[in-house]
Amino acid sequence: MIVLIVAGVLATLALPSFQAQIRKTRRADAYAAVTQIQQAQERWRSLQPTYAASLSALGIGASSTAGHYQLATATESGTENSRYTITAAAAGSQSSDAACRYLRTVAAGGTLSQQSGPDNSFGNSAADNRACWNQ
């Protein structure tokens, strides 16, 4: 009986750490989707005078392969020939990834920057941002 109680306590303590690792692993779904969109945007731009303003123009669906993230891409008026953004918002069970719920890549003038945050203000500190993007 004591062994079962000790095993139960250990399992209770280990579960949050296990779930955090699962959420971190699922971020690979977002990384792969963002990379796919980046490549599609560059292919589009090689044939067009501007970047694509939507995923549908690129022929890409609005959710990541495993469905853990909702995706979007956008351009801003006046910068569509030199800048685009890609956003991945956690969906389903991945929404419990509090600090890294939103991931964004901004491509501007050939330079990529990555941002993250618990909401769509992308307000993580530099350290939290590196952790979210696994850098």
Side-chain angles (χ1 to χ4, degrees), residues 38-89:
Q38 285 174 316
Q39 291 172 348
Q41 281 284 26
E42 296 306 326
R43 281 191 304 273
W44 177 275
R45 179 68 173 92
S46 72
L47 300 171
Q48 309 290 331
T50 62
Y51 286 108
S54 68
L55 292 174
S56 60
L58 297 171
I60 296 175
S63 64
S64 60
T65 304
H68 299 299
Y69 289 86
Q70 291 298 307
L71 307 169
T73 190
T75 59
E76 297 172 20
S77 180
T79 65
E80 59 273 336
N81 63 345
S82 64
R83 177 184 166 100
Y84 64 88
T85 61
I86 302 167
T87 305

Coordinates of all heavy atoms in Angstrom, one line a residue, residues 38-89:
Q38 N 7.7 30.2 -45.3 CA 8.8 31.1 -45.8 C 9.3 30.6 -47.2 O 9.5 31.5 -48.1 CB 10.0 30.9 -44.8 CG 9.8 31.7 -43.5 CD 11.0 31.4 -42.6 OE1 11.4 30.2 -42.5 NE2 11.5 32.4 -42.0
Q39 N 9.4 29.4 -47.4 CA 9.9 28.9 -48.7 C 8.9 29.2 -49.8 O 9.2 29.6 -50.9 CB 10.1 27.4 -48.6 CG 11.3 27.0 -47.8 CD 11.5 25.5 -47.6 OE1 10.6 24.7 -47.8 NE2 12.6 25.1 -47.1
A40 N 7.6 29.0 -49.4 CA 6.5 29.3 -50.4 C 6.5 30.8 -50.7 O 6.3 31.2 -51.9 CB 5.2 28.9 -49.9
Q41 N 6.7 31.7 -49.7 CA 6.8 33.1 -50.0 C 7.9 33.5 -50.9 O 7.8 34.3 -51.8 CB 6.9 33.9 -48.7 CG 5.6 34.0 -47.9 CD 4.7 35.1 -48.5 OE1 4.7 35.4 -49.7 NE2 3.8 35.6 -47.6
E42 N 9.1 32.9 -50.7 CA 10.2 33.2 -51.5 C 10.0 32.7 -53.0 O 10.4 33.4 -53.9 CB 11.5 32.6 -50.9 CG 11.9 33.3 -49.6 CD 11.9 34.8 -49.6 OE1 12.3 35.4 -50.6 OE2 11.6 35.4 -48.6
R43 N 9.4 31.5 -53.1 CA 9.1 31.0 -54.5 C 8.1 32.0 -55.1 O 8.3 32.3 -56.3 CB 8.5 29.6 -54.4 CG 9.6 28.5 -54.2 CD 9.0 27.1 -54.5 NE 7.8 26.8 -53.6 CZ 7.9 26.3 -52.4 NH1 9.1 26.0 -51.9 NH2 6.9 26.0 -51.7
W44 N 7.1 32.4 -54.4 CA 6.1 33.3 -54.9 C 6.8 34.6 -55.4 O 6.6 35.1 -56.5 CB 5.0 33.6 -53.9 CG 4.0 34.6 -54.3 CD1 4.1 36.0 -54.2 CD2 2.7 34.4 -54.8 NE1 3.0 36.6 -54.6 CE2 2.1 35.6 -55.0 CE3 2.0 33.2 -55.1 CZ2 0.8 35.7 -55.6 CZ3 0.8 33.3 -55.7 CH2 0.2 34.6 -55.9
R45 N 7.6 35.2 -54.5 CA 8.3 36.4 -54.8 C 9.3 36.3 -56.0 O 9.5 37.3 -56.7 CB 9.1 36.9 -53.6 CG 9.8 38.2 -53.7 CD 8.9 39.4 -53.9 NE 9.5 40.6 -53.9 CZ 10.0 41.3 -54.9 NH1 9.8 40.8 -56.1 NH2 10.6 42.4 -54.8
S46 N 9.8 35.1 -56.3 CA 10.7 35.0 -57.4 C 9.9 35.1 -58.7 O 10.5 35.4 -59.8 CB 11.4 33.6 -57.3 OG 10.5 32.6 -57.6
L47 N 8.6 34.9 -58.7 CA 7.8 35.0 -59.9 C 6.9 36.2 -59.9 O 6.2 36.5 -61.0 CB 6.9 33.7 -60.0 CG 7.7 32.4 -60.0 CD1 6.7 31.2 -59.9 CD2 8.5 32.3 -61.3
Q48 N 6.7 36.9 -58.8 CA 5.8 38.1 -58.7 C 6.6 39.3 -58.2 O 7.6 39.2 -57.6 CB 4.7 37.8 -57.7 CG 4.0 36.4 -57.8 CD 3.1 36.4 -59.1 OE1 2.6 37.4 -59.5 NE2 3.0 35.2 -59.6
P49 N 6.0 40.5 -58.4 CA 6.7 41.7 -57.9 C 6.5 41.9 -56.4 O 7.1 42.8 -55.8 CB 6.0 42.8 -58.7 CG 4.7 42.3 -59.1 CD 4.8 40.8 -59.2
T50 N 5.6 41.1 -55.7 CA 5.3 41.3 -54.3 C 5.3 39.9 -53.6 O 5.2 38.9 -54.3 CB 4.0 42.0 -54.1 OG1 3.0 41.1 -54.6 CG2 3.9 43.3 -54.7
Y51 N 5.3 39.9 -52.3 CA 5.0 38.7 -51.5 C 3.5 38.4 -51.5 O 2.7 39.4 -51.7 CB 5.5 38.8 -50.1 CG 7.0 38.7 -50.0 CD1 7.8 39.8 -49.8 CD2 7.7 37.5 -50.2 CE1 9.2 39.8 -49.7 CE2 9.1 37.4 -50.2 CZ 9.8 38.5 -49.9 OH 11.2 38.4 -49.8
A52 N 3.1 37.2 -51.3 CA 1.7 36.8 -51.2 C 1.1 37.4 -49.9 O 1.7 37.3 -48.9 CB 1.6 35.3 -51.3
A53 N -0.1 37.9 -50.0 CA -0.8 38.4 -48.9 C -1.6 37.4 -48.1 O -2.1 37.8 -47.0 CB -1.7 39.6 -49.4
S54 N -1.7 36.2 -48.6 CA -2.5 35.2 -47.8 C -2.0 33.8 -48.1 O -1.2 33.5 -49.0 CB -4.0 35.2 -48.3 OG -4.1 34.8 -49.6
L55 N -2.3 32.9 -47.2 CA -1.9 31.5 -47.3 C -2.6 30.8 -48.5 O -2.0 30.0 -49.2 CB -2.3 30.7 -46.1 CG -1.5 31.0 -44.8 CD1 -2.0 30.3 -43.6 CD2 0.0 30.7 -45.0
S56 N -3.9 31.2 -48.8 CA -4.6 30.6 -49.9 C -3.9 31.0 -51.3 O -3.8 30.1 -52.2 CB -6.0 31.1 -50.0 OG -6.1 32.5 -50.1
A57 N -3.3 32.1 -51.4 CA -2.5 32.5 -52.6 C -1.3 31.6 -52.7 O -0.9 31.2 -53.9 CB -2.1 33.9 -52.5
L58 N -0.8 31.1 -51.6 CA 0.4 30.2 -51.7 C 0.0 28.7 -51.8 O 0.8 27.9 -52.0 CB 1.2 30.4 -50.4 CG 1.8 31.8 -50.2 CD1 2.4 31.9 -48.8 CD2 2.9 32.0 -51.2
G59 N -1.3 28.5 -51.6 CA -1.8 27.1 -51.7 C -1.5 26.3 -50.4 O -1.4 25.1 -50.4
I60 N -1.5 27.0 -49.3 CA -1.2 26.4 -48.0 C -2.4 26.5 -47.1 O -3.0 27.6 -47.1 CB 0.0 27.1 -47.4 CG1 1.3 26.8 -48.2 CG2 0.3 26.5 -45.9 CD1 2.5 27.5 -47.7
G61 N -2.7 25.5 -46.4 CA -3.9 25.5 -45.5 C -3.6 26.4 -44.2 O -2.5 26.8 -43.9
A62 N -4.7 26.6 -43.5 CA -4.6 27.5 -42.3 C -4.2 26.9 -41.0 O -4.2 27.5 -40.0 CB -5.9 28.2 -42.2
S63 N -3.9 25.6 -41.1 CA -3.4 24.9 -39.9 C -2.2 24.1 -40.2 O -2.0 23.7 -41.3 CB -4.5 24.0 -39.2 OG -4.9 23.0 -40.1
S64 N -1.4 23.9 -39.1 CA -0.1 23.2 -39.3 C -0.4 21.7 -39.6 O -1.6 21.2 -39.4 CB 0.7 23.3 -38.0 OG 0.0 22.8 -36.9
T65 N 0.6 21.0 -40.0 CA 0.4 19.6 -40.4 C -0.3 18.7 -39.3 O -1.2 18.0 -39.6 CB 1.7 19.0 -40.8 OG1 2.3 19.8 -41.8 CG2 1.6 17.5 -41.3
A66 N 0.2 18.8 -38.1 CA -0.4 18.0 -37.0 C -1.6 18.7 -36.4 O -2.2 18.2 -35.5 CB 0.7 17.8 -36.0
G67 N -1.9 20.0 -36.8 CA -3.1 20.7 -36.3 C -2.9 21.4 -35.0 O -3.9 21.8 -34.4
H68 N -1.6 21.5 -34.5 CA -1.4 22.1 -33.2 C -1.4 23.7 -33.3 O -1.4 24.4 -32.3 CB -0.1 21.7 -32.6 CG -0.1 20.2 -32.3 ND1 -0.9 19.6 -31.5 CD2 0.7 19.2 -32.8 CE1 -0.7 18.3 -31.4 NE2 0.3 18.0 -32.3
Y69 N -1.3 24.2 -34.5 CA -1.2 25.7 -34.7 C -2.1 26.1 -35.8 O -2.2 25.4 -36.9 CB 0.2 26.1 -35.0 CG 1.1 26.0 -33.8 CD1 1.7 24.8 -33.5 CD2 1.3 27.0 -32.9 CE1 2.5 24.6 -32.4 CE2 2.1 26.9 -31.8 CZ 2.7 25.7 -31.5 OH 3.4 25.6 -30.4
Q70 N -2.7 27.3 -35.7 CA -3.4 28.0 -36.8 C -2.4 29.0 -37.4 O -1.7 29.7 -36.6 CB -4.6 28.8 -36.2 CG -5.7 27.8 -35.7 CD -6.3 27.0 -36.9 OE1 -6.6 27.5 -37.9 NE2 -6.3 25.7 -36.7
L71 N -2.4 29.0 -38.7 CA -1.3 29.8 -39.4 C -1.9 31.0 -40.1 O -3.1 30.9 -40.6 CB -0.6 28.9 -40.4 CG -0.1 27.6 -39.8 CD1 0.4 26.7 -40.9 CD2 1.1 27.9 -38.9
A72 N -1.1 32.0 -40.3 CA -1.5 33.2 -41.1 C -0.2 33.8 -41.7 O 0.8 33.7 -41.1 CB -2.3 34.2 -40.3
T73 N -0.4 34.4 -42.8 CA 0.7 35.3 -43.4 C 0.1 36.6 -43.8 O -1.1 36.6 -44.2 CB 1.5 34.6 -44.5 OG1 2.7 35.3 -44.8 CG2 0.7 34.4 -45.7
A74 N 0.9 37.6 -43.8 CA 0.3 38.9 -44.2 C 1.4 39.8 -44.7 O 2.6 39.6 -44.4 CB -0.4 39.6 -43.0
T75 N 1.0 40.8 -45.5 CA 1.9 41.8 -46.0 C 1.3 43.2 -45.6 O 0.1 43.2 -45.4 CB 2.2 41.8 -47.5 OG1 0.9 41.9 -48.2 CG2 2.9 40.5 -47.9
E76 N 2.1 44.2 -45.5 CA 1.5 45.5 -45.2 C 1.5 46.4 -46.5 O 2.5 46.3 -47.3 CB 2.4 46.2 -44.2 CG 2.3 45.5 -42.8 CD 3.3 46.1 -41.8 OE1 3.7 47.2 -42.0 OE2 3.7 45.4 -40.9
S77 N 0.5 47.2 -46.7 CA 0.5 48.0 -47.9 C 1.7 48.9 -47.9 O 2.1 49.5 -46.9 CB -0.8 48.9 -47.8 OG -0.9 49.7 -48.9
G78 N 2.3 48.9 -49.1 CA 3.5 49.7 -49.3 C 4.8 49.0 -49.0 O 5.9 49.4 -49.4
T79 N 4.7 47.8 -48.3 CA 5.9 47.0 -48.1 C 5.8 45.6 -48.6 O 6.7 44.7 -48.3 CB 6.2 46.9 -46.5 OG1 5.1 46.2 -45.9 CG2 6.4 48.3 -45.9
E80 N 4.8 45.3 -49.4 CA 4.5 44.0 -49.9 C 5.6 43.4 -50.8 O 5.7 42.3 -51.1 CB 3.1 43.9 -50.5 CG 2.9 44.8 -51.7 CD 2.4 46.1 -51.4 OE1 1.8 46.3 -50.3 OE2 2.6 47.0 -52.2
N81 N 6.5 44.3 -51.3 CA 7.6 43.8 -52.1 C 8.9 43.5 -51.3 O 9.9 43.1 -51.8 CB 7.9 44.7 -53.3 CG 8.3 46.1 -52.8 OD1 8.2 46.4 -51.7 ND2 8.9 46.8 -53.8
S82 N 8.8 43.8 -50.0 CA 10.0 43.6 -49.2 C 9.8 43.1 -47.8 O 10.7 42.8 -47.1 CB 10.8 45.0 -49.0 OG 10.0 45.9 -48.3
R83 N 8.5 42.9 -47.4 CA 8.3 42.4 -46.0 C 7.0 41.6 -45.9 O 6.0 41.9 -46.6 CB 8.1 43.7 -45.1 CG 7.7 43.4 -43.7 CD 7.5 44.7 -43.0 NE 6.8 44.5 -41.7 CZ 7.5 44.5 -40.6 NH1 8.7 44.8 -40.5 NH2 6.8 44.3 -39.4
Y84 N 7.0 40.5 -45.1 CA 5.9 39.7 -44.8 C 6.0 39.2 -43.4 O 7.1 39.1 -42.8 CB 5.7 38.6 -45.8 CG 6.7 37.6 -45.8 CD1 6.7 36.5 -45.0 CD2 7.8 37.7 -46.7 CE1 7.7 35.5 -45.0 CE2 8.8 36.7 -46.8 CZ 8.8 35.6 -45.9 OH 9.8 34.7 -45.9
T85 N 4.9 38.8 -42.8 CA 4.9 38.2 -41.5 C 4.2 36.8 -41.6 O 3.3 36.6 -42.4 CB 4.1 39.1 -40.4 OG1 2.8 39.2 -40.8 CG2 4.8 40.4 -40.3
I86 N 4.6 35.9 -40.7 CA 4.0 34.6 -40.6 C 3.7 34.4 -39.1 O 4.5 34.6 -38.2 CB 4.9 33.5 -41.0 CG1 5.4 33.7 -42.5 CG2 4.3 32.1 -40.8 CD1 6.5 32.8 -42.9
T87 N 2.4 34.1 -38.8 CA 2.0 33.9 -37.4 C 1.5 32.5 -37.2 O 0.8 32.0 -38.1 CB 0.9 34.9 -37.1 OG1 1.3 36.2 -37.3 CG2 0.5 34.8 -35.6
A88 N 1.9 31.9 -36.1 CA 1.4 30.5 -35.7 C 0.8 30.7 -34.3 O 1.5 31.1 -33.4 CB 2.6 29.5 -35.7
A89 N -0.5 30.4 -34.2 CA -1.2 30.6 -32.9 C -1.6 29.2 -32.5 O -2.2 28.4 -33.2 CB -2.4 31.4 -33.1

